[in-house]
Amino acid sequence: MSVGAVQPVPLVGIVVLNYRNWADTSACLQSLAAATYPRTFVAVVDNDSQNDSLGHIGAGLAQRRAACDVVAEKDLETAGRLRERILLVQAAGNRGYAAGNNLGIRAALARGCEYVLVLNNDTEVAPGFLEPLVEHAAAHPRLGAVGPKIVDPAGRVERACARRRPDLLYYFFGDGFLRRLFPGNRWRRRHFYEGEYAYDRPREVDVLSGSCMLVRAAAFREIGLLDENTFLYLEEFILHEKLRAAGWGQAIVPASVVVHKGGQSAKKAVPARIRQAKRESRRYYLSRYRHCGKFLVWLIDGMRCRPPAWLRRSRDSRP
């Protein structure tokens, strides 16, 4: 290569998982169409919605004259040979959030993407959201993942876009029923970097928001893809543990902004099933990645229940 030759812009694969919510997915894709980053590959995975989601999504793309390829999961190995910038993938079954996203991640890696952006379908991006993420990752090669500042539709920052690795006391005072008795306690504030970070500059953090994470392809190749042993929830916490164990860091880059409408697919599911999925994911994360014993996992599980009646009465009787 000659001296002073310009390095090619890294190819970024963007993975969007759809489940029974093709309208939000189409809106997300429309916002991505206005993105100014010059080299992207988009893989949309339908997680067996059984409502012709890909047909609706494909029709929306056709209206904008955006060409796409369509493959079934069983033919995904051909994805590396397809040439269109957008790929629609029909999953054979709904095996959960991690497994569905992994189909798109595999397609992105097969295309030779240097970074993979895992993006929730209930998000909309600003045109220049991707450049700051790629630039920061390129300038800090030991970072395995970077994420944007996540805001709600009213522009309020979602605290979940920057979190510390939860410690034991967080599970009792920050995530369990004791947080209702001690609101604003220091363990909860510490978990969300409250009072020490104003989202005004890039900062290394432990856990990024799972709604938008730019992951280095080299990191995925080293640690493996998303852990498919959970159906829903805690994927970003598990990814943190895998990156941490391999020596990779993570950082938030507030110059990149993504709007998260919040949990639209989950709202369509039966609440009892959602609660059970979250409980099972938490048990798996604590036992497999945090090496907690059965008693401690049981105790943390119990903290997620409603406060005992005597505690509720005590709280209600306070002046």
Side-chain angles (χ1 to χ4, degrees), residues 267-278:
K267 290 175 184 176
K268 296 178 183 293
V270 178
R273 184 183 180 189
I274 293 297
R275 289 195 299 271
Q276 181 62 24
K278 185 175 286 189

Side-chain angles (χ1 to χ4, degrees), residues 29-101:
L29 293 176
Q30 189 162 1
S31 74
L32 284 171
T36 54
Y37 189 83
R39 293 189 71 210
T40 60
F41 162 71
V42 180
V44 180
V45 179
D46 178 60
N47 224 4
D48 194 28
S49 298
Q50 299 186 9
N51 66 352
D52 194 29
S53 277
L54 287 191
H56 290 289
I57 294 167
L61 292 172
Q63 286 181 350
R64 301 200 306 271
R65 298 184 178 180
C68 66
D69 290 311
V70 183
V71 297
E73 179 180 341
K74 65 183 179 62
D75 301 318
L76 193 59
E77 66 274 7
T78 67
R81 300 195 295 271
L82 300 174
R83 294 275 68 90
E84 296 297 347
R85 195 181 67 83
I86 302 174
L87 175 68
L88 306 184
V89 182
Q90 181 61 64
N94 182 3
R95 298 185 300 280
Y97 179 87
N101 272 299

